[in-house]
Amino acid sequence: MPIPSLASVLSELDVQFQEALTALSAIDNLPALDVFKSLYLGKKSPLSTAMRHLGSLPPEEKPSVGQKLNDLKSSLQEAIQNQLKIIKETMAQRMIEADTTDASLPPRGSRKGSFHPIHQTQSQIMACLSRLGFSVKEGPDIETEFYNFEALHIPANHSARDMHDTFYLHSGLLLRTHTSPVQIRTMQQQAPPIKIMVPGKVYRCDSDATHSPCFHQIEGLVVDKGIRFSDLKGVLIAFLEDLLGQEVKIRFRPSYFPFTEPSTEIDVSCFKCHGSGCGLCKQTGWIEVLGAGLVNRHVLRASGYDPETVTGFAFGIGVDRMAMLQFGIPDIRLLYENDSRFLRQF
């Protein structure tokens, strides 16, 4: 086969290039442009074929033909990009012309978001405890019976287990019924002094207007040498006055919890009637807000502490209940239904 001359190769390439430019100018959509690119720049295109046969040219002609091929390829790529820009501008203009939106109409109002009432209440409680020097500790929602019951002086035959309405899982695991297991885990891992708050979700199989299968608690724990009931009382009074206001009245009532001894429940004067009696406080003028007590010696011992050396106190507050009381919410289920009409009030 005779070797083509330099003049014939260049002449043929120029003709093909002009044909390509003419075809490109008529393209007005993206699919057709993709076909064009494959036809003129693909592996089987005339330009690619010419580059593969560059080696068959006489050595003295290869540089000039190679330069010509590269120039044609660059020019064609630039022309394709320009046509792509024209096609996109044309498509955008067509969309604008086809749009029937009246830009002169006033915009629809947008509502501002807000924090969920449970989140608001939890943040307020944690802020008050933080000002008293408590640091945050968290733990797993799925617990063992040891951490959830046994280490807290609630053995398998203890009647207090019936009060917890527990969700039991396989292999001795369960959904924690309170955040107290985090207290045990912290004491096992850390030497005194300890001053922590433990926020988190807890789970009990109970559901009605005042109980939810999933709700929120915040517990506090202080352990050190010489901790007394008077320390517990002073911290809780300072906490509740910070949370509810200096004018709130507070009373301590004897109670029972397996993990504290002595134990107490704390009432505050009714937010609504200020102690005169109403439906919210059931005409008593008082509302129960939290339980507390000195850490039971058995709990300290189960955590690896010597109860003869250190003592402590613990307390727990229901976030959902506090939110219901503060916002006057009659049914706890309203907090979990995600009804925007309800949540918009907060």
Side-chain angles (χ1 to χ4, degrees), residues 106-120:
R108 295 179 179 178
S110 59
R111 298 188 180 98
K112 291 184 178 180
S114 62
F115 288 114
H116 194 279
I118 291 178
H119 183 277
Q120 293 183 39

Side-chain angles (χ1 to χ4, degrees), residues 115-327:
F115 288 114
H116 194 279
I118 291 178
H119 183 277
Q120 293 183 39
T121 302
Q122 179 170 291
S123 297
Q124 291 173 0
I125 294 172
M126 293 179 66
C128 294
L129 292 174
S130 179
R131 285 190 284 270
L132 290 171
F134 286 81
S135 59
V136 179
K137 285 286 186 179
E138 296 181 328
D141 288 16
I142 298 177
E143 272 293 1
T144 65
E145 291 193 50
F146 172 78
Y147 286 107
N148 197 80
F149 291 125
E150 294 167 12
L152 292 162
H153 194 43
I154 311 177
N157 59 350
H158 201 293
S159 58
R161 289 205 181 191
D162 296 335
M163 301 166 55
H164 283 244
D165 300 316
T166 310
F167 286 104
Y168 285 97
L169 308 177
H170 59 83
S171 303
L173 299 177
L174 50 86
L175 295 179
R176 65 181 182 187
T177 60
H178 44 191
T179 55
S180 300
V182 182
Q183 299 182 21
I184 304 298
R185 291 179 177 274
T186 302
M187 287 190 285
Q188 287 183 340
Q189 299 168 5
Q190 179 179 334
I194 289 177
K195 193 174 186 180
I196 61 169
M197 56 175 147
V198 186
K201 295 178 180 178
V202 296
Y203 309 86
R204 299 184 187 181
C205 47
D206 194 2
S207 180
D208 56 36
T210 57
H211 299 85
S212 172
C214 172
F215 55 103
H216 301 74
Q217 281 186 347
I218 295 181
E219 296 190 10
L221 173 69
V222 175
V223 179
D224 202 351
K225 295 180 180 180
I227 297 296
R228 299 170 297 178
F229 194 90
S230 58
D231 298 311
L232 166 65
K233 186 175 180 180
V235 167
L236 292 183
I237 289 175
F239 162 63
L240 291 172
E241 288 181 348
D242 188 11
L243 179 66
L244 303 175
Q246 293 288 332
E247 69 282 358
V248 67
K249 296 180 180 179
I250 303 168
R251 75 177 183 184
F252 290 72
R253 291 183 292 104
S255 187
Y256 168 77
F257 302 107
F259 30 82
T260 55
E261 178 62 35
S263 303
T264 181
E265 290 185 1
I266 293 88
D267 302 332
V268 297
S269 52
C270 181
F271 316 123
K272 186 175 181 180
C273 66
H274 304 289
S276 61
C278 66
L280 180 62
C281 61
K282 300 178 181 179
Q283 307 302 325
T284 65
W286 297 94
I287 295 176
E288 176 191 335
V289 291
L290 57 85
L294 294 183
V295 180
N296 194 301
R297 295 170 62 89
H298 296 282
V299 175
L300 291 172
R301 193 174 292 112
S303 303
Y305 287 1
D306 181 2
E308 301 297 332
T309 305
V310 297
T311 52
F313 66 78
F315 58 90
I317 184 170
V319 178
D320 308 57
R321 173 172 168 76
M322 182 60 71
M324 293 175 66
L325 294 172
Q326 287 187 307
F327 294 115

Side-chain angles (χ1 to χ4, degrees), residues 50-115:
M51 287 183 170
R52 287 196 298 271
H53 289 88
L54 187 62
S56 63
L57 293 175
E60 66 274 10
E61 296 180 355
K62 287 181 181 179
S64 58
V65 175
Q67 182 64 46
K68 181 68 174 181
L69 292 175
N70 287 329
D71 290 344
L72 289 175
K73 183 177 181 180
S74 298
S75 299
L76 191 56
Q77 288 175 334
E78 182 179 353
I80 290 174
Q81 289 300 316
N82 291 336
Q83 191 66 20
L84 176 62
K85 182 179 179 181
I86 293 172
I87 292 173
K88 288 184 175 180
E89 290 176 349
T90 302
M91 292 173 61
Q93 184 61 35
R94 289 173 182 171
M95 291 177 63
I96 293 174
E97 292 173 355
D99 189 3
T100 58
T101 302
D102 187 350
S104 65
L105 289 174
R108 295 179 179 178
S110 59
R111 298 188 180 98
K112 291 184 178 180
S114 62
F115 288 114

